[in-house]
Amino acid sequence: MSASLSYRANADFLESKYVDWKKDPASVEPLWSSFFEGFELGMARLPAATAKGAGAAEGAPLSEKALNFRMRVTNTLHNFRAIGHTAAHLDPLDKEGPEIAALTPAGLGFTADELEEEVQTHMFRGGMPMKLKTMLAELRRIYCGKTGFEFMHIHHPEVRAWLLARIEERDLEARPTPKEQVDALRWLLEAETFERFLHRRFVGQKRFSVEGGESALVALETIFEMMPSLGGKEIVMGMAHRGRLSVLANFLRKPLEYLFYEFSENYVPNMVAGDGDVKYHLGFETIRQTSSGDSVSIMLAPNPSHLEAVDPVVEGMARARQRFLEDTKDRKKVVPVLLHGDAAFAGQGIVAEVLNLSQLPGYRTGGTIHIIVNNQIGFTTMPEDARSSDNCTDVAKMIEAPVIHVNGDCPMEVVAAAKLAFEFRQTFGRDVVLDIVCYRRHGHNETDEPGFTQPNMARSIAEHPSTATLFRLDLASSGILDEAGSAALQRELEDELEEGVKVLAEKDKHADGGNPFEGSTAQPQPPFDFNPTLTGVATERLKTLGQRLLEVPEGFNLHPTIGKRFLAARKKAIEAGEGIDWAYAESLAFGSLLTEGHGVRLSGQDVRRGTFSQRHSVFYDSQTRERHIPLNNLSAEQGRYCVYNSLLSEAAVLGFDYGYSLLASNLLVCWEAQFGDFVNGAQVIIDQFICSAESKWQRPSHITLLLPHGYEGQGPEHSSARMERFLQLCAGQNMQVCNFTTPAQYFHALRRQLKRGTRKPLVVMTPKSLLRHPKCVSKLEDMGEGTSFREILDDEHLLTSPERVTRLILCSGKVYYDLLEFREQNKIKNAAIIRVEQLYPLNEEMLKSIAEKYPRAKKWIWCQEEPRNQGAFYYIRPRLQQISRSNVRYAGRERSSSPAVGSKAIHVLEQEKLVENAFSV
């Protein structure tokens, strides 16, 4: 019965669409128009409107020959729209576009006589009658010129129809205004003159020139000029090193004297309290005025040499700015723009991960404009060796992004393509790809010889005039700007560059070269110290928060297990003021920050529930799946709690959250791994950004990484968050690496991320079995007013006086509870257990102060669960030996190439042995 009703509803809908089409074919979407036209063809009936001139009476059946002809016309339209781009003249180094047999009259199945036939279809030009040869010529002009379009892979009919209308209704004869053309020439000359000036002035220095791809600047400037008219206020950009200096100088208008100073052999980045970075990795931000007088902010993120790694960072930065501007619905004010190389866009897996973020609730940014500087080579590798797809852009089809390919030697085509791309983004809030097909005039860098590996291509490029040169000739021949006018424009630009050198020389006479990071994205901050940050909260307020977290809306069907076990346990704990477990302490930390006006963002795989079913940040109605988030229902005036289950990616999601943290200093931003072992899927983000960005670019972050870690017999892939790798990356107080033993410590550490004057990444080895360990609980008073985080915890359960202790066992994390249990069971009185809660930066003074309480403790032992060559041992042993002035003994697993054994039985034996050894070695 239900199937019959469904069929009737669909039939009624189809009938209504057909009636609309019969009245006015333009009133329905092109997909429906195509369907009904094909339907009537299939019924062998020709409407009166299309029978004119065909010699058939109204309503008379079509002959088989006529039907076949009409079907070929319909197929022709589809073929040009689907594969017309394959015949477009896109490569500047080719004299013409490729001949695609499938798009020739013969390939489409037409004879020479049929080319003179009159055709008429509502699928093209609104049903205007024309000869077949005219239709083919029009289609070739639209789809096989200097711009190619890929959009037929898009499943959404309204999106496809919008693109179809703009592509096929554009006036190919219309010439842009003289001002638009001269502007485009200026943008080309700015890039070309700048690059040639650097080539002459700083001989032999790498700059990763944009020469050959100068039209990328034309695309950027076009988008910039359009921003105000379509609601844009800010551009957040990311790009690799190719063309970066030209973008900095000409698009972001970085002062030339600072750029030139960075080429100096004496250049010292005196604003960076660390190591600095090469000039083509630095970020910059500015505010520019469009020709209409509107202000547009432009921010270029600093980047490493790891291609495409900056992509998710830019997306996170853009999302943070959108939140700041309260642009979280349409997301039109802040526009992410990513510049890619062709080889990297096709080759780097993180590109696909970032594309996959584009429409997800917790990560979407209203669409990204991807501009590919397609110089048809990757270092020395040609496309046939670099990808299996026809185009470098094919990966973007997975999210149904339209792709606009354009010949980089045709700047006005680039202008039109950039306008279409930006309008699409602002209309649909979806990603769009602009593929500028160009070339690379020099090698990978200016000291490379491309002729070693691509001799033919190198010769073609050497003989090929620059894009600006060709456009100058075009403007002169059309009477827009003669050669004298072009030469004057070039001289003006050259004079500006010379003036930049003079300004730098003058500054050098009177100062130290000035501030080379003027206007950059650098953010100085106070030095790190161990002064306690009071992060405690009044216990009565904690009780109130704890009670609010237990509340469920009336009529809400909470899952029985959550109500009877999860909330019941929390209720008991909050009323008693003790027994606060890890997840509850986390909720109290989040809730206290939210009610103080901060925001909290938690992101990662399965974080709403938690990998171990410990968090339950979101309650789901067991009947309707309606959601209730207790942390967003604490008080009328509170910050917003955003918790997002992420896609199954580490690199893109961590990169996104890191980028978010850069521009959201008032939010606690946390990323949680499903298991800590999986964090190495984001190793590039950790190495190139999280641990080193402050030193390289002076970009502080307070991103918090939550990495489940602990040896519990779950095998090699579910035991270790690779603590040793983080510790190896530690230097200059660049981040904090912690392995807590109490919920209260976790509570304080989370709050400290926003309450302290300095911003540092926090890496936490979070527990698994300790989430429900009866002794791993805290009292409310441990989080109460006047309390704070402690980097080292003294022994709170000593069975004797400190003077009788001869052995100090130092450890961190879960193994503490194993040691404590062994000591109690065996009534050992001569050993104290000291917990190092924060491994880096190590508070050596606090550790010394605690150790002084045990004057007879000459034996120092480091105990850990991890193998000897992993964990904290190699990091902490020299530091402990310096403090104790004696050899530090080891209790733990033996060296291993794998983090853990696969056998549960062997794991248990190893664990028992290392705990026993801590009291005997």
Side-chain angles (χ1 to χ4, degrees), residues 234-238 252 284-286 297-301 317 321 521 663 699:
E234 298 185 8
I235 295 173
V236 182
M237 290 179 60
L252 281 95
F284 196 77
E285 56 186 84
T286 189
S297 170
I298 310 173
M299 179 182 297
L300 175 63
M317 293 169 66
R321 288 299 301 164
T521 52
L663 301 182
R699 292 308 308 267

Side-chain angles (χ1 to χ4, degrees), residues 461-664:
I461 292 171
E463 296 166 0
H464 190 75
S466 73
T467 305
T469 299
L470 293 172
F471 195 44
R472 287 169 74 161
L473 294 172
D474 183 37
L475 294 186
S477 65
S478 61
I480 301 296
L481 186 68
D482 60 20
E483 180 53 34
S486 296
L489 178 56
Q490 184 168 343
R491 282 195 302 274
E492 175 191 332
L493 298 173
E494 289 171 345
D495 290 344
E496 289 178 7
L497 294 167
E498 291 291 351
E499 182 64 24
V501 174
K502 290 179 182 177
V503 170
L504 174 61
E506 192 64 28
K507 284 189 175 184
D508 279 342
K509 289 180 184 178
H510 304 289
D512 60 356
N515 177 1
F517 277 68
E518 182 76 28
S520 78
T521 52
Q523 296 177 2
Q525 63 172 345
F528 178 89
D529 60 48
F530 290 108
N531 294 331
T533 301
L534 295 179
T535 48
V537 177
T539 53
E540 285 305 311
R541 185 167 154 241
L542 288 176
K543 280 192 173 184
T544 301
L545 287 172
Q547 294 287 355
R548 295 302 304 269
L549 291 170
L550 305 176
E551 295 175 2
V552 179
E554 186 176 348
F556 192 90
N557 300 295
L558 192 64
H559 191 284
T561 303
I562 296 177
K564 294 177 182 178
R565 294 176 56 183
F566 181 78
L567 292 185
R570 287 192 166 188
K571 184 174 186 296
K572 180 180 178 182
I574 202 70
E575 289 177 350
E578 60 183 18
I580 306 295
D581 65 16
W582 191 274
Y584 206 5
E586 177 188 81
S587 295
L588 291 172
F590 289 170
S592 62
L593 289 171
L594 291 167
T595 53
E596 291 164 5
H598 300 287
V600 176
R601 175 185 170 90
L602 174 61
S603 158
Q605 296 159 27
D606 312 296
V607 295
R608 285 177 172 167
R609 191 203 73 172
T611 300
F612 311 101
S613 199
Q614 84 281 8
R615 181 174 289 120
H616 295 291
S617 262
V618 179
F619 295 160
Y620 293 92
D621 188 296
S622 59
Q623 302 298 319
T624 66
R625 205 178 179 271
E626 181 184 348
R627 292 180 296 185
H628 171 68
I629 303 176
L631 281 165
N632 276 331
N633 291 273
L634 300 174
S635 66
E637 301 292 330
Q638 69 163 85
R640 187 151 45 103
Y641 176 59
C642 301
V643 55
Y644 298 110
N645 287 345
S646 76
L647 75 161
L648 202 63
S649 156
E650 284 77 37
V653 179
L654 179 56
F656 185 100
D657 288 326
Y658 167 79
Y660 199 105
S661 75
L662 294 175
L663 301 182

Side-chain angles (χ1 to χ4, degrees), residues 163-194:
L163 286 163
L164 184 68
R166 274 151 185 78
I167 293 167
E168 295 191 355
E169 293 172 11
R170 63 195 176 119
D171 188 351
L172 295 174
E173 299 296 333
R175 185 89 182 181
T177 66
K179 180 183 182 305
E180 289 176 321
Q181 295 179 70
V182 173
D183 282 345
L185 177 61
R186 170 180 281 276
W187 299 333
L188 289 172
L189 283 174
E190 283 177 341
E192 180 183 285
T193 307
F194 174 77

Side-chain angles (χ1 to χ4, degrees), residues 200-269:
R200 293 193 311 270
R201 178 72 65 162
F202 305 103
V203 178
Q205 287 218 36
K206 293 180 184 179
R207 66 181 194 279
F208 297 98
S209 161
V210 76
E211 289 173 273
E214 294 95 339
S215 284
L217 276 298
V218 174
L220 288 173
E221 292 285 358
T222 300
I223 293 167
F224 167 75
E225 288 290 344
M226 285 188 70
M227 285 282 286
S229 64
L230 294 179
K233 294 184 178 296
E234 298 185 8
I235 295 173
V236 182
M237 290 179 60
M239 65 181 297
H241 41 283
R242 173 78 53 212
R244 189 181 190 89
L245 295 180
S246 193
V247 169
L248 282 167
N250 299 308
F251 185 56
L252 281 95
R253 304 288 197 249
K254 182 173 183 177
L256 292 172
E257 61 267 28
Y258 297 133
L259 268 173
F260 296 155
Y261 178 53
E262 290 161 14
F263 276 92
S264 167
E265 293 181 359
N266 298 321
Y267 168 59
V268 177

Side-chain angles (χ1 to χ4, degrees), residues 155-451:
H155 295 164
H156 297 78
E158 70 280 3
V159 177
R160 195 168 57 247
W162 186 93
L163 286 163
L164 184 68
R166 274 151 185 78
I167 293 167
E168 295 191 355
E169 293 172 11
R170 63 195 176 119
D171 188 351
L172 295 174
E173 299 296 333
R175 185 89 182 181
T177 66
K179 180 183 182 305
E180 289 176 321
Q181 295 179 70
V182 173
D183 282 345
L185 177 61
R186 170 180 281 276
W187 299 333
L188 289 172
L189 283 174
E190 283 177 341
E192 180 183 285
T193 307
F194 174 77
E195 296 288 2
R196 292 184 177 181
F197 181 84
L198 293 183
H199 197 68
R200 293 193 311 270
R201 178 72 65 162
F202 305 103
V203 178
Q205 287 218 36
K206 293 180 184 179
R207 66 181 194 279
F208 297 98
S209 161
V210 76
E211 289 173 273
E214 294 95 339
S215 284
L217 276 298
V218 174
L220 288 173
E221 292 285 358
T222 300
I223 293 167
F224 167 75
E225 288 290 344
M226 285 188 70
M227 285 282 286
S229 64
L230 294 179
K233 294 184 178 296
E234 298 185 8
I235 295 173
V236 182
M237 290 179 60
M239 65 181 297
H241 41 283
R242 173 78 53 212
R244 189 181 190 89
L245 295 180
S246 193
V247 169
L248 282 167
N250 299 308
F251 185 56
L252 281 95
R253 304 288 197 249
K254 182 173 183 177
L256 292 172
E257 61 267 28
Y258 297 133
L259 268 173
F260 296 155
Y261 178 53
E262 290 161 14
F263 276 92
S264 167
E265 293 181 359
N266 298 321
Y267 168 59
V268 177
N270 58 22
M271 267 198 71
V272 174
D275 304 309
D277 202 353
V278 292
K279 50 193 167 289
Y280 39 80
H281 288 171
L282 303 177
F284 196 77
E285 56 186 84
T286 189
I287 297 175
R288 282 183 57 191
Q289 305 292 315
T290 65
S291 57
S292 62
D294 296 284
S295 296
V296 175
S297 170
I298 310 173
M299 179 182 297
L300 175 63
N303 72 285
S305 285
H306 293 61
L307 298 174
E308 308 297 340
V310 77
D311 296 357
V313 177
V314 168
E315 299 294 341
M317 293 169 66
R319 173 99 172 194
R321 288 299 301 164
Q322 289 168 350
R323 174 167 175 152
F324 179 79
L325 295 177
E326 298 182 347
D327 180 28
T328 57
K329 183 180 179 183
D330 296 329
R331 301 188 185 276
K332 291 184 178 181
K333 295 178 182 178
V334 181
V335 180
V337 177
L338 291 173
L339 272 70
H340 312 269
D342 51 311
F345 195 76
Q348 291 292 325
I350 199 169
V351 171
E353 293 186 26
V354 172
L355 289 170
N356 212 355
L357 294 174
S358 64
Q359 295 300 311
L360 301 181
Y363 308 91
R364 59 187 171 211
T365 55
T368 299
I369 301 175
H370 301 270
I371 300 175
I372 299 180
V373 183
N374 185 350
N375 49 40
Q376 308 180 74
I377 193 170
F379 207 148
T380 66
T381 302
M382 298 296 285
E384 55 266 29
D385 296 317
R387 62 177 186 262
S388 297
S389 58
D390 289 335
N391 297 297
C392 65
T393 56
D394 286 349
V395 65
K397 290 182 180 179
M398 75 176 193
I399 59 164
E400 300 181 33
V403 180
I404 309 168
H405 307 278
V406 61
N407 188 317
D409 263 358
C410 303
M412 298 319 298
E413 296 270 350
V414 173
V415 168
K419 286 181 177 179
L420 177 60
F422 182 60
E423 187 182 0
F424 176 86
R425 189 268 176 196
Q426 295 297 85
T427 301
F428 294 104
R430 302 179 69 90
D431 285 31
V432 58
V433 178
L434 176 56
D435 176 29
I436 302 176
V437 184
C438 52
Y439 55 89
R440 189 184 67 196
R441 186 159 292 280
H442 305 288
H444 178 65
N445 60 61
E446 289 65 37
T447 63
D448 265 357
E449 173 48 66

Side-chain angles (χ1 to χ4, degrees), residues 6-46:
S6 175
Y7 173 81
R8 183 67 255 166
N10 287 334
D12 290 344
F13 174 74
L14 189 64
E15 179 69 21
S16 69
K17 283 284 186 183
Y18 182 59
V19 170
D20 290 342
W21 178 78
K22 291 290 284 184
K23 291 179 180 176
D24 178 12
S27 68
V28 301
E29 298 91 337
L31 183 67
W32 284 111
S33 182
S34 174
F35 171 77
F36 292 129
E37 220 172 289
F39 169 74
E40 294 208 343
L41 282 172
M43 295 296 290
R45 294 287 178 181
L46 181 65

